Amino acid sequence: MSDNLDQVKSLIDGHQKFVILQADNPDGDSLASSLALEQILTDLGKHATMYCAVNIPTYLRHLKGWDRVVDRLPVDFEASIIVDTSSLALFDNLASRPEMSLLQKRPCLVIDHHMSESTINFPTVVEYKHDVVATGQLIYDLAKQFDWPLALTTKEMIVSSIMSDSLGLISEGTSADTIRVVADMVEGGVNLAKLDDARKELMRKSPELIAYKGRLLERVEFHDNNRVAIISIPWDEIEKYSPLYNPTMLVLDEMRYGEGTDIAIGFKVYKDGRVTAKIKTNFGKGIAAELAEHFGGGGHRYASGFKITTGKPFNEIKSECIAKAGELLDKLEQGNDHEIQ
């Protein structure tokens, strides 16, 4: 747990121009948290620019304001705020740019609900980390502590953040406090049905995507007595379908529902040899973060990811991932057996 409330307040109060950064794998929590912070800082009379090195995925564009996210870091910011991650490895696209040196030299606030060890080692970094279901919940906590303004749009983004990472308030990390935050936001004017309708409208898929999803499902591989489900997306499909929808996310949830399946892993193999993976597990099989950390990534117990840029052959990565997943599942099941005894 990391509070540093005095330092957080000093950093926000002491600067006027901020850049809010998401990692190279934006999701509903990171985008909604960025949008909530942008509105809060604006209402405090400050200026905020939202940054992400990659394009915001289509399925997240129901969150109003996504188009204000830029892919070039401004040079005139005074301080930065990193949301929803404390892993420097997830800023691979920024690491090679000269702007990275600006981040390292200027004050930085990290707001993150992942409790893995931070690798944001800038000299002036301040961390606000708690083990809650979403970064949006932390932003709400800070707003309450410091009496920050909460416009209706801010409240909507806080709810969107929480609903995204809590899978609609049903994930294991959802606490009574989480539900109370959402209740406060609804009392403050947030319409849950309206937010969900906007999300569902953007979830509609073209006939081309539906046909592609069918082909992906036909290619799903099952390993380790069906406990591990795998899908691999080659570069030509990434290039063709990513502008329409994230190919991995088209099928990852369905993959978890196979008989005997505990974990689903979606790989993307890029033309430069880079390999990324998204991991989702079923309830009671929370090994996702530990599996990702084995490959230098991180995330939640039930949803996580990693990236490998060393040029290691994909088949070796895949085989190692399947083996490690099986090992972690065995360890988990053995531990459960001991608890029962």
Side-chain angles (χ1 to χ4, degrees), residues 32-96:
S33 296
S34 295
L35 288 161
L37 273 174
E38 180 204 38
Q39 186 65 55
I40 286 170
L41 291 169
T42 299
D43 290 342
L44 288 171
K46 300 175 185 295
H47 182 270
T49 300
M50 295 178 291
Y51 166 88
C52 185
V54 302
N55 291 332
I56 297 299
T58 305
Y59 75 95
L60 294 177
R61 295 182 183 181
H62 64 283
L63 296 173
K64 292 181 180 178
W66 69 267
D67 52 343
R68 293 196 295 275
V69 179
V70 300
D71 61 2
R72 300 298 299 183
L73 199 69
V75 296
D76 62 343
F77 69 92
E78 300 168 4
S80 63
I81 305 175
I82 294 174
V83 296
D84 199 33
T85 185
S86 49
S87 172
L88 195 58
L90 295 181
F91 291 93
D92 191 54
N93 286 301
L94 182 59
S96 60

Side-chain angles (χ1 to χ4, degrees), residues 6-18 41 44 46 78-79 107 148:
D6 290 342
Q7 295 177 62
V8 172
K9 190 174 190 307
S10 177
L11 189 147
I12 297 296
D13 290 349
H15 300 89
Q16 283 298 117
K17 291 185 176 182
F18 293 84
L41 291 169
L44 288 171
K46 300 175 185 295
E78 300 168 4
W148 287 345

Side-chain angles (χ1 to χ4, degrees), residues 50 86 98 124-125 163 224-225 234 263 285 337 339:
M50 295 178 291
S86 49
T124 53
V125 70
M163 298 300 278
D224 198 353
N225 295 318
I263 182 169
K285 306 294 181 180
D337 288 343
E339 286 179 13

